[in-house]
Amino acid sequence: DRARAIAERALKSINFRKLDEKKNVWIALLNLEKAHGTAESLAAVFRRCCSDQNAKHMYLHMAQVHERAGDDDSVGNTFDAVCRHYKASKKVWLARMEWLMRKGDTAAAKSTLERSLLSLARRKHVPTIVKFAQLEYRHGSLERARTVLDGVLAHHPKRLDLWSIYLDMETRKGAGTAPADVRRLFERAASLKLSSKKMKYVFKRWLTWEQANGDSAAVAHVKDRAREYVQLKTGVDAAAVDTPASRGDTARAGGRVTHSDDEPGFSSSDSGDSSDDD
């Protein structure tokens, strides 16, 4: 009772503009009622906090309160309610998927993904599916995660943000991916017909990864692939770019191709080309 009284005084004394401070007090009060109160007292506090705070956010906090208490039935009921009331929000669907993945119920998580796509606006479909793939990487199956991302990229092959997420998940520490699999993904990305700016990003990222994880032959291979791309893009012989004399000839001829060991054959004008950005 004393703890409740302290929390109630805090709610009355905190300025109404300090929403985050009040939210923390509400969450503490929810935890208190969950641990020491009744179902009725908890429901009463929850109704009050929803009227004072962002109700959607408080539903998600309520789910966390139930989860910390090991009350899976109440977690499920809370997610049922929030997904019903806020079915157009990808945040609530993803929160439910993450909870299900953490507890190992991948079938229910996939079913939740399918249900969410029926309610979410079309523009939210790709971000939701990609987030689900990231959950698979962290809590589920590596192969299922790859299958999901491959499916998204099949429909959006020029979305560099999607390729970047894929590479992030494959190369992150503890991902459990084999170097050969990572190299195959880089090879796929380097074979795309993207703008010079996007391809420069791909090759630089690949080169950085090989310098940290590969050998001299692998590093040389990336540089060769970059030179091949430059030759195809500019029509300049990539081998000629390698010699100081030929670089001087190119400059005198008005060419714009430059070369360094780390960024083979990319020019500043190429890196700014975004004519075929998706």
Side-chain angles (χ1 to χ4, degrees):
D1 288 340
R2 185 182 177 190
R4 290 189 182 94
I6 293 172
E8 292 292 348
R9 284 202 303 271
L11 290 173
K12 291 176 182 177
S13 63
I14 295 174
N15 189 295
F16 72 94
R17 291 188 178 89
K18 297 182 178 179
L19 293 177
D20 285 341
E21 290 184 21
K22 290 192 75 175
K23 181 179 71 174
N24 291 335
V25 176
W26 280 118
I27 293 171
L29 195 51
L30 289 172
N31 279 300
L32 179 67
E33 292 296 344
K34 181 66 178 179
H36 304 289
T38 64
E40 291 75 17
S41 64
L42 177 61
V45 170
F46 181 64
R47 285 193 296 269
R48 288 174 58 204
C49 74
C50 284
S51 65
D52 185 62
Q53 296 282 309
N54 181 307
K56 180 175 71 174
H57 294 171
M58 295 315 298
Y59 267 104
L60 297 178
H61 284 298
M62 189 72 256
Q64 292 173 0
V65 169
H66 290 311
E67 185 178 5
R68 283 193 292 269
D71 188 353
D72 280 357
D73 288 341
S74 293
V75 178
N77 291 335
T78 303
F79 276 125
D80 284 342
V82 72
C83 290
R84 183 171 62 251
H85 291 312
Y86 302 98
K87 61 183 179 181
S89 168
K90 73 176 187 293
K91 183 175 184 176
V92 301
W93 292 105
L94 286 168
R96 182 171 198 157
M97 291 178 220
E98 184 170 7
W99 168 63
L100 291 167
M101 293 293 284
R102 281 200 303 268
K103 62 199 289 286
D105 197 346
T106 54
K110 184 177 180 181
S111 176
T112 300
L113 172 65
E114 293 167 353
R115 286 174 53 206
S116 73
L117 298 180
L118 298 176
S119 300
L120 295 174
R122 194 166 188 83
R123 62 185 171 81
K124 296 182 178 182
H125 285 193
V126 170
T128 302
I129 295 170
V130 170
K131 285 289 187 183
F132 177 77
Q134 291 175 288
L135 291 175
E136 281 282 13
Y137 268 108
R138 295 187 178 100
H139 307 291
S141 160
L142 184 63
E143 290 306 317
R144 285 198 303 267
R146 288 169 173 166
T147 299
V148 172
L149 287 176
D150 285 339
V152 174
L153 283 169
H155 292 91
H156 304 279
K158 292 189 176 183
R159 287 275 301 270
L160 187 60
D161 59 324
L162 301 180
W163 283 102
S164 181
I165 290 171
Y166 203 165
L167 290 168
D168 284 343
M169 301 313 295
E170 289 284 319
T171 59
R172 71 186 178 91
K173 186 176 181 180
T177 52
D181 293 328
V182 177
R183 287 190 179 95
R184 277 193 290 271
L185 185 60
F186 274 118
E187 289 280 3
R188 286 173 57 192
S191 299
L192 298 169
K193 295 181 179 179
L194 303 178
S195 69
S196 297
K197 183 177 181 180
K198 291 181 177 181
M199 293 305 295
K200 181 175 183 178
Y201 168 83
V202 171
F203 282 119
K204 285 185 69 175
R205 181 160 184 176
W206 188 5
L207 182 62
T208 299
W209 184 84
E210 289 291 6
Q211 287 170 336
N213 299 277
D215 53 20
S216 58
V219 171
H221 173 68
V222 179
K223 294 180 180 180
D224 289 342
R225 287 294 309 274
R227 293 186 187 104
E228 290 171 7
Y229 170 80
V230 171
Q231 183 177 357
L232 290 172
K233 188 74 174 179
T234 65
V236 175
D237 186 354
V241 177
D242 279 336
T243 64
S246 61
R247 286 200 297 274
D249 292 342
T250 302
R252 286 191 293 274
R256 295 178 296 170
V257 177
T258 61
H259 171 73
S260 70
D261 287 342
D262 288 338
E263 301 174 20
F266 282 103
S267 69
S268 58
S269 60
D270 282 339
S271 65
D273 176 17
S274 58
S275 58
D276 64 346
D277 284 356
D278 191 14

